[in-house]
Amino acid sequence: MQEHLHTVIPHTSKLQSFLGVHQIEQQVHQCQRYVDDLEDDERAKEFNIKMKQNDEIAKILRKSESLESLGEIMVVRTEILLNRETSVRREAQVESQEQSNINNMTMNIETKIEINIEKMISDMICLMDGRVIVVERWGEVNLLTSDGKLQEQLPIPGNAYSFTQINENTVAITYPFETAIKIFSLSNDEIRIIDLEGNTLKSIQVESKSYLEQLVYCNDSVIYSDYSGKAVYCVDESGKQIWQYTQDLTGPRGLCIDTYGNIIVADYESNRIIVISKDGKESKVLISEEDGLMEPKCICFKHNESSGFICDFNGTYLAKFHLSSG
């Protein structure tokens, strides 16, 4: 991935770099989960061996000045045959396949936080450090702490609409009125605005009865929701449809991807959170109106914690959830 990153950054356009880094970030999350599983494994522990010399030996050596050596040390290296069927890597792969089954998935609302933005919300993302960005439609960009408290309103100009994070200190924002994507570098003392080149690298014609508002990019495919068409679509980079899902959706809006590639959808009209399998063939209701969910507009997911936030259409609350796969 490090070699791939060095290839992506200097030799491609900023837009291609952005998409490439986003894909690498998803691979990093998967690797991080594997490393977390090794916490109790002996290979994840560090051993230091120290030797303290007996003072009596030093005395003997001083008396035996003619002694050239005390012996010989030999190192013999042998190959170890690994049992691939019972190795940790094999077990992790089996576990990953089992956990990707959406029938085993559950979602629980841990806390519900009043944020009282009380303006229509267009997007929300979880940053890599655990903080949350909630974007007012054509308005302010609110930076919240990891527990949902307002930290500050970012001084980002213009009619921002949708966000995604490129790396720890950089986000990309869409500006539909300007038909542009801008990259913002966040730091402690400045926000530096860098415009992408105005050239269109690729245009994908897709089927949608409503404005394209919410989409995610995963494994060379684009997944987007069609609110008026009551559908979620998956297309490849050429625009060819891979699958479409229309069952039981009444108004899909926000989307996010879990660690295994399944799509979690905020179905606004039915007050439900629905997960769709990564092949688009199955679905399951994770949370409904009975769980206190009303008008869910946006949803974001923190892969390293298997948790995330749901925000309602009018920006009155954040619901923090935990996602379990077993």
Side-chain angles (χ1 to χ4, degrees):
M1 282 186 285
Q2 217 170 23
E3 292 175 357
H4 185 200
L5 183 63
H6 289 309
T7 302
V8 166
I9 296 301
H11 302 300
T12 60
S13 70
K14 289 188 175 71
L15 180 57
Q16 289 174 320
S17 297
F18 157 60
L19 296 177
V21 170
H22 179 68
Q23 187 174 2
I24 291 172
E25 178 190 349
Q26 291 180 323
Q27 294 173 345
V28 169
H29 285 313
Q30 292 178 349
C31 292
Q32 184 176 354
R33 287 184 64 87
Y34 171 69
V35 172
D36 292 339
D37 291 338
L38 292 179
E39 287 183 350
D40 298 325
D41 194 284
E42 291 298 321
R43 291 177 299 168
K45 293 180 173 60
E46 182 177 313
F47 295 90
N48 292 318
I49 299 176
K50 297 181 180 180
M51 184 182 73
K52 182 178 180 181
Q53 182 174 291
N54 192 319
D55 292 339
E56 296 298 322
I57 294 178
K59 295 178 182 178
I60 294 173
L61 289 175
R62 283 196 295 269
K63 293 179 180 179
S64 305
E65 294 181 355
S66 61
L67 189 65
E68 295 183 356
S69 70
L70 291 175
E72 183 179 0
I73 295 176
M74 293 177 291
V75 177
V76 179
R77 184 174 63 183
T78 58
E79 297 292 335
I80 299 176
L81 295 177
L82 295 177
N83 186 346
R84 296 182 181 274
E85 292 302 321
T86 58
S87 67
V88 173
R89 182 179 298 275
R90 177 65 177 174
E91 292 173 357
Q93 290 175 349
V94 172
E95 181 183 5
S96 174
Q97 292 171 359
E98 291 176 351
Q99 290 181 346
S100 65
N101 184 355
I102 65 172
N103 292 322
N104 298 328
M105 292 177 62
T106 57
M107 180 182 287
N108 299 312
I109 298 292
E110 295 182 347
T111 57
K112 200 170 182 181
I113 308 160
E114 292 185 4
I115 53 176
N116 296 320
I117 295 176
E118 296 183 351
K119 294 182 181 179
M120 288 191 294
I121 304 302
S122 62
D123 201 8
M124 176 179 63
I125 61 169
C126 292
L127 297 176
M128 296 174 185
D129 61 7
R131 293 180 297 173
V132 180
I133 286 181
V134 177
V135 187
E136 299 173 17
R137 193 171 187 175
W138 320 127
E140 301 292 340
V141 178
N142 301 279
L143 179 62
L144 281 63
T145 61
S146 58
D147 57 359
K149 297 179 181 178
L150 180 63
Q151 179 174 326
E152 63 176 311
Q153 288 185 327
L154 298 178
I156 294 178
N159 296 313
Y161 194 90
S162 185
F163 266 65
T164 191
Q165 188 167 21
I166 300 174
N167 57 42
E168 186 175 355
N169 294 314
T170 310
V171 294
I173 309 173
T174 63
Y175 285 80
F177 287 166
E178 303 176 37
T179 61
I181 297 173
K182 297 180 182 181
I183 294 177
F184 288 76
S185 179
L186 306 178
S187 66
N188 293 331
D189 56 358
E190 69 168 341
I191 293 180
R192 187 171 68 256
I193 303 175
I194 310 167
D195 285 333
L196 290 175
E197 296 91 342
N199 301 322
T200 300
L201 299 177
K202 182 181 292 187
S203 178
I204 303 175
Q205 299 298 317
V206 297
E207 176 184 348
S208 181
K209 294 182 179 179
S210 53
Y211 289 114
L212 290 175
E213 296 183 359
Q214 306 288 341
L215 62 84
V216 289
Y217 181 83
C218 180
N219 297 329
D220 299 324
S221 61
V222 176
I223 302 163
Y224 65 94
S225 59
D226 181 357
Y227 175 77
S228 299
K230 302 179 181 180
V232 171
Y233 295 94
C234 178
V235 299
D236 62 20
E237 290 183 326
S238 69
K240 181 181 178 182
Q241 183 174 291
I242 300 174
W243 53 260
Q244 66 174 355
Y245 189 88
T246 57
Q247 303 175 32
D248 303 325
L249 295 175
T250 59
R253 288 194 181 273
L255 303 170
C256 66
I257 300 288
D258 76 353
T259 307
Y260 308 101
N262 302 307
I263 302 92
I264 305 173
V265 184
D267 196 40
Y268 173 77
E269 295 291 344
S270 67
N271 298 320
R272 299 181 302 172
I273 301 297
I274 298 173
V275 60
I276 301 173
S277 59
K278 58 186 177 181
D279 58 6
K281 294 181 179 179
E282 299 178 284
S283 71
K284 179 182 179 180
V285 176
L286 297 176
I287 294 179
S288 61
E289 187 175 346
E290 288 73 17
D291 299 294
L293 195 67
M294 295 298 295
E295 298 183 330
K297 171 63 166 61
C298 300
I299 185 168
C300 60
F301 185 63
K302 295 190 284 186
H303 292 262
N304 59 334
E305 297 181 8
S306 294
S307 64
F309 288 97
I310 303 165
C311 184
D312 68 319
F313 185 78
N314 293 312
T316 61
Y317 73 84
L318 280 185
K320 183 176 182 180
F321 66 83
H322 178 77
L323 188 65
S324 174
S325 299

